[in-house]
Amino acid sequence: MPVALTLLSFGANVQSVTAQTTENIYEFSITYDALAIFGPVFNEEKNILDVAVLGESIGDAPFGLTNFDSRTYGRFEDRTTQIFSTFDADPSVFGIEGNVRGDRYFGGSNELFGRASDSAVIDLVQQTIVGGGIINVTGGTGIFSNATGLITFTQEDRLTPGSTDGPLTSRGVAVLNFSIRTPQRVPEPAATTALLGLGVTGAVLLHQYRRRLNNF
């Protein structure tokens, strides 16, 4: 029996290690009604603006991710009738100092967090904005605890200018494609081995008890 117990324990530990390296993979898409807010100016010398994009899902959203709030810095380069813009949550990308910003996808007990890096073209004649990019997932809550992965997106907006001294805004549709990985939770190897040991011990005691009954 000691030999049998050792073999069972070894097998359980190997299985636990394999399970711990297994990932849950979530792949899904959500379409959001998005509002983009460009401004105020964060760094006038380098023409860097504060940028916020707020979204609400059109229809039901998988895993309750009905809303998102994306915060980045944006640099704008004027080219006559078009403005080329670059956005990033990390200010060091633009050679400036500031806090690293991020994205939050939420609506229930499950949430995702990430950092965006994207670009867009603003057409001043057509009054449109077309862009896209990548969000690197940095974590989450609920089923997305310790999540990693990528979110890719495309967005088409129409400019909705506000007052002359206020930030520029646009409204449109953003389509986000999620590819998320989370570690699979498994019982601790020590606990699994202990349960197996108790089971084997119980089987031995039961066998001895039955033999004693048969001898009477």
Side-chain angles (χ1 to χ4, degrees), residues 1 200-216:
M1 291 310 303
V200 171
T201 302
V204 172
L205 293 175
L206 180 61
H207 179 68
Q208 291 177 347
Y209 176 72
R210 287 176 175 173
R211 286 185 61 184
R212 290 176 181 175
L213 287 179
N214 292 332
N215 290 332
F216 284 113

Side-chain angles (χ1 to χ4, degrees), residues 6-7 22 30 35 37 46 48 55 68-69 101 104 106 150 165 186 194 200 216:
T6 301
L7 291 175
T22 301
I30 304 177
L35 168 66
I37 305 169
K46 296 190 176 183
I48 307 295
F68 77 81
D69 185 334
R101 296 173 176 173
R104 177 181 174 226
F106 60 98
L150 292 175
D165 59 348
V186 296
V200 171
F216 284 113

Side-chain angles (χ1 to χ4, degrees), residues 4 8 66 84-86 89 101 109 121 123 125 127 130 136 138 145 152-153 164 168 174 176 193 202 204 209:
L8 286 170
T66 55
F84 288 77
S85 52
T86 304
R101 296 173 176 173
S109 60
V121 176
D123 190 317
V125 176
Q127 294 287 289
V130 178
N136 287 289
T138 58
S145 180
T152 60
F153 76 94
T164 55
L168 179 68
L176 279 68
T193 301
V204 172
Y209 176 72

